[in-house]
Amino acid sequence: GGAKKGRGIMHVAALVGSYLLFIILFVVCVSWLWPDFVDAAEHRQVRSIMLTLLAVQVCAEALVWYFGVYKTWVFICVLLCDGWGMLDAILRFPVVHDICSFFGLKQIGMMVMKLVAFSLGFWNIGRNLGWFILLVLCCDVSLPILWLTALPIGEDGGSHMKHDAVDIDIAVRIWRLASRPPERAAAVLRCRLRARQGVVGLAKVCPALKGAVVRLDPSLARVLRGAPEI
């Protein structure tokens, strides 16, 4: 009896602590740091941060699935919603779409679908309601809020403002890559370029890696010596 009571107290303490941590991070990051960063950063930098956060979210969702918190079919639905929903929204940032457009309705549908999947497949939701709500807040609500607050809604230019995003549905882009060899080749070249830029950036942050980078790709030696970035 005493051991069971002790486990119950630890469970409640862990849940309360997790909520406090979430609230602190949400208030500090979303209400304070994020708006300042969005105002000062370029669109590609904002996209990069959101893509990183999405990757962290997917890893967390995979970890939750691995420990059996929800069923495999739920995880498949979650990946679909993350890919066709949030990933598509981030790649098209900062384009603003009408809420009644296909894009807007799709985003709402993906969030609802993810919530329903969590609700139907969450392990023993009646006894773990607190953890279920925390999962929804972390994995179905937080990133869309960051994306919405970063959009230039109401700013001069609106959806017609200058940007470097490709405003095409990710499903259409994947189909074109699969069916059109020229676009596939161009996409491969862009990925290689970004990979090289990432390696150069990493080597500049960590100079100890410069030797390994140059051995891997000797053409980057000039860039790492201070020449303009590729």
Side-chain angles (χ1 to χ4, degrees), residues 103-175:
F103 174 86
L105 295 176
K106 183 189 73 172
Q107 292 301 320
I108 295 173
M110 290 296 100
M111 287 188 66
V112 172
M113 178 179 173
K114 195 171 181 180
L115 176 60
V116 171
F118 280 152
S119 302
L120 296 178
F122 195 85
W123 178 73
N124 204 349
I125 190 172
R127 295 185 58 185
N128 298 287
L129 183 60
W131 292 110
F132 167 76
I133 295 175
L134 184 62
L135 176 68
V136 171
L137 290 175
C138 292
C139 296
D140 195 28
V141 176
S142 296
L143 193 52
I145 289 178
L146 288 177
W147 169 73
L148 275 173
T149 55
L151 285 175
I153 300 174
E155 295 183 9
D156 294 337
S159 60
H160 302 290
M161 68 183 299
K162 186 177 180 180
H163 58 80
D164 59 347
V166 179
D167 188 21
I168 301 175
D169 193 282
I170 191 172
V172 176
R173 296 175 69 178
I174 292 174
W175 170 254

Side-chain angles (χ1 to χ4, degrees), residues 60-70 75:
E61 291 165 343
L63 194 63
V64 172
W65 163 75
Y66 177 78
F67 284 108
V69 176
Y70 47 67
F75 186 49

Side-chain angles (χ1 to χ4, degrees), residues 54 57 81-91 107 143-144 147:
L54 178 61
Q57 175 182 298
C81 295
D82 288 341
W84 199 31
M86 209 62 245
L87 177 60
D88 185 46
I90 294 172
L91 292 177
Q107 292 301 320
L143 193 52
W147 169 73

Side-chain angles (χ1 to χ4, degrees), residues 199-200 202-203 209-221 224:
V199 169
V200 169
L202 183 62
L209 297 176
K210 285 186 178 181
V213 170
V214 172
R215 285 193 297 272
L216 184 66
D217 190 346
S219 65
L220 296 178
L224 294 175

Side-chain angles (χ1 to χ4, degrees), residues 97-109:
H97 298 85
D98 190 271
I99 190 66
C100 294
S101 66
F102 174 77
F103 174 86
L105 295 176
K106 183 189 73 172
Q107 292 301 320
I108 295 173

Side-chain angles (χ1 to χ4, degrees), residues 178-192:
S179 59
R180 300 179 183 177
E183 292 196 18
R184 186 163 60 248
V188 171
L189 288 176
R190 287 196 298 270
C191 290
R192 288 178 177 175

Side-chain angles (χ1 to χ4, degrees), residues 41-77:
E42 298 179 0
H43 294 149
R44 61 179 180 83
Q45 294 174 315
V46 178
R47 275 199 303 271
S48 296
I49 293 297
M50 289 194 290
L51 286 172
T52 301
L53 292 175
L54 178 61
V56 172
Q57 175 182 298
V58 171
C59 290
E61 291 165 343
L63 194 63
V64 172
W65 163 75
Y66 177 78
F67 284 108
V69 176
Y70 47 67
K71 302 173 183 178
T72 300
W73 69 265
V74 176
F75 186 49
I76 295 174
C77 288

